Amino acid sequence: MKRKRQRIFLAAGALLAAVALVVVWMNKNRSQMEKSEIIKIGVLIYKEDDTFVSGIVEEMKRQFKDYERENGSRIRLDFSYAEENQSIQNEQIDKYLSLDYDVLCVNLVDRTEAAIVIEKAKAADVPVVFFNREPVAEDLQQWDRLYYVGSDAKESGTLEGLLVADYYQKYPEQLDRNQDGVIQYVLLEGESRHQDSLIRTEYSIQTLVEEGFSLERLDGGIANWVRSQGEALTTQWLREYGSEIELIISNNDDMALGAIDAVENWHVKFSNIVGIDGTPEGLAAVEAGKMIGTIVAGQEEYARVILDLAERMARREALDGLAIREDKSIRVPMYSINSDGEIRRLEEEGNERN
Ligand code: BGC
């Protein structure tokens, strides 16, 4: 009798242990499944041939390949281009949502049209990482699964002004070529509806004024970030103002490269040109002494932050460690580099200018 009871106890114990083992195994398996679940990321770009944005896209593809090599196929990444048409982009968003994508990374065509995108994404409970083309502040506050990744336009404009100021410290006669104590300049602007155009223009000039420069704006115009348009405008100004021009300030590198094209076609020796972006061609022009300098908004870091944020949001993971500001943006750090290879960062100066 005693033996029989012992056997029953033993059998019950073994059964319990087996059940416990199965539960542990199932839990482990479930958490592994959750981790290895493939997430689908849709990336929507405003147009195909923007040099700076293409640099970010190339970086995303490169980092994605590295990631796959290390982690296996845990992410699917697809790109769509909107031919500068917000309706086309909206249709592309509908397509991704109908295909159950887990997160969207959106480089808006029209930054004032973010509300439509947000409405669609929210209805489908799909988070959005906007990048480079910044939605207006109120739109970003509409839902807690929206963020913006971009550089700080104020910081880039300030750094651009400082590039010129530093250059003057070293080579005053090369900048104030007619020695009248005033810098005569022309200004190439990006798209009028883009947040970076207005703010970069404002802060590059304001910084120069704060640094004690007297300035005279000879002319300025919108070249929509595009090299050929930058060249066309600069050619017009060279024809009109010739050697009166002492400085060409550009909102980005591509338009600055257009200015260089114009200067070279005009057969004049002139390199008082500043840009922003730090694209490979922009940096090469700086190194070759064809420009005073540029502001590098690291495309590698841009891509890293976008992908990291997108994956974490899709997997509903915590966002700690990401420098998210109160306005729900993450700002990619930038620095200036001049043709002497000198680098300047605002955060090292305690950000007192920001
Ligand atoms: C860049 C430009 C680019 C534009 C596109 C800006 O931040 O400086 O080069 O064309 O973004 O949205």
Side-chain angles (χ1 to χ4, degrees):
M1 187 66 193
K2 205 174 159 201
R3 269 249 177 103
K4 201 174 169 196
R5 216 185 295 149
Q6 253 178 356
R7 248 186 273 139
I8 290 173
F9 270 126
L10 271 177
L15 190 67
L16 268 179
V19 169
L21 268 177
V22 169
V23 169
V24 168
W25 179 81
M26 274 173 59
N27 271 346
K28 193 169 159 230
N29 233 23
R30 190 182 331 132
S31 73
Q32 258 170 9
M33 253 174 58
E34 270 165 16
K35 276 225 170 99
S36 62
E37 203 171 297
I38 293 182
I39 55 156
K40 295 191 282 185
I41 305 180
V43 187
L44 298 108
I45 307 291
Y46 88 108
K47 69 169 184 174
E48 209 155 348
D49 60 351
D50 182 289
T51 309
F52 181 69
V53 179
S54 300
I56 299 174
V57 167
E58 286 318 307
E59 260 306 314
M60 285 172 95
K61 291 184 178 165
R62 194 187 62 75
Q63 292 179 19
F64 168 66
K65 275 201 191 122
D66 286 353
Y67 179 96
E68 254 196 339
R69 218 171 293 130
E70 282 165 29
N71 303 282
S73 310
R74 294 181 57 210
I75 294 183
R76 187 189 153 148
L77 190 64
D78 289 297
F79 294 86
S80 297
Y81 298 88
E83 298 165 34
E84 287 188 89
N85 183 329
Q86 189 59 53
S87 313
I88 294 182
Q89 189 166 70
N90 293 347
E91 282 164 21
Q92 292 168 336
I93 285 174
D94 288 339
K95 193 194 80 191
Y96 281 127
L97 294 177
S98 71
L99 293 172
D100 283 336
Y101 272 64
D102 300 287
V103 57
L104 300 178
C105 302
V106 184
N107 178 230
L108 285 165
V109 176
D110 184 344
R111 56 183 291 259
T112 62
E113 294 288 323
I116 302 165
V117 176
I118 294 168
E119 201 180 296
K120 290 176 188 288
K122 196 173 169 189
D125 195 23
V126 171
V128 183
V129 179
F130 290 102
F131 67 99
N132 168 260
R133 302 168 73 87
E134 187 170 357
V136 287
E138 304 86 73
D139 284 341
L140 266 190
Q141 300 306 327
Q142 281 187 35
W143 190 31
D144 59 356
R145 303 190 79 203
L146 308 170
Y147 290 95
Y148 173 71
V149 177
S151 51
D152 186 330
K154 193 170 154 188
E155 186 180 352
S156 49
T158 305
L159 280 167
E160 194 177 37
L162 291 174
L163 254 183
V164 176
D166 290 345
Y167 181 75
Y168 182 79
Q169 291 304 321
K170 282 168 97 177
Y171 312 109
E173 317 77 51
Q174 287 198 43
L175 188 62
D176 187 11
R177 304 194 326 164
N178 62 3
Q179 305 282 298
D180 66 348
V182 180
I183 307 299
Q184 279 80 20
Y185 73 96
V186 290
L187 203 144
L188 288 164
E189 288 174 63
E191 289 164 280
S192 55
R193 61 185 172 189
H194 198 299
Q195 78 282 344
D196 287 342
S197 310
L198 297 169
I199 304 175
R200 286 176 183 174
T201 299
E202 183 186 341
Y203 279 87
S204 55
I205 300 302
Q206 185 180 307
T207 303
L208 279 168
V209 170
E210 278 168 14
E211 291 292 307
F213 286 84
S214 300
L215 301 167
E216 182 188 349
R217 180 182 167 117
L218 295 175
D219 222 327
I222 294 170
N224 294 309
W225 307 120
V226 178
R227 182 168 181 161
S228 56
Q229 295 187 32
E231 179 186 353
L233 272 181
T234 309
T235 304
Q236 197 180 304
W237 294 333
L238 285 169
R239 195 171 289 135
E240 214 165 322
Y241 307 101
S243 60
E244 269 182 73
I245 302 172
E246 293 179 319
L247 174 67
I248 302 179
I249 301 176
S250 173
N251 282 168
N252 81 341
D253 278 355
D254 259 16
M255 297 186 296
L257 289 165
I260 295 173
D261 295 337
V263 163
E264 287 178 350
N265 287 339
W266 211 252
H267 301 294
V268 284
K269 213 176 154 313
F270 184 86
S271 57
N272 293 348
I273 302 170
V274 277
I276 293 177
D277 281 346
T279 60
E281 257 198 279
L283 287 170
V286 172
E287 210 181 317
K290 294 178 177 183
M291 271 166 83
I292 291 177
T294 185
I295 314 303
V296 184
Q299 288 152 311
E300 203 180 315
E301 179 67 359
Y302 234 111
R304 195 190 63 70
V305 176
I306 296 168
L307 286 176
D308 186 16
L309 185 56
E311 185 184 4
R312 289 208 225 176
M313 284 216 283
R315 295 193 192 281
R316 292 186 181 272
E317 288 173 4
L319 303 181
D320 16 291
L322 290 170
I324 300 176
R325 295 191 185 181
E326 226 169 274
D327 63 357
K328 299 180 72 190
S329 73
I330 299 183
R331 302 290 166 178
V332 180
M334 6 176 60
Y335 60 87
S336 67
I337 181 157
N338 66 17
S339 49
D340 293 330
E342 290 159 344
I343 283 177
R344 186 165 182 180
R345 285 189 171 83
L346 282 191
E347 76 256 37
E348 281 166 8
E349 297 169 23
N351 255 338
E352 74 244 17
R353 290 179 175 279
N354 248 343

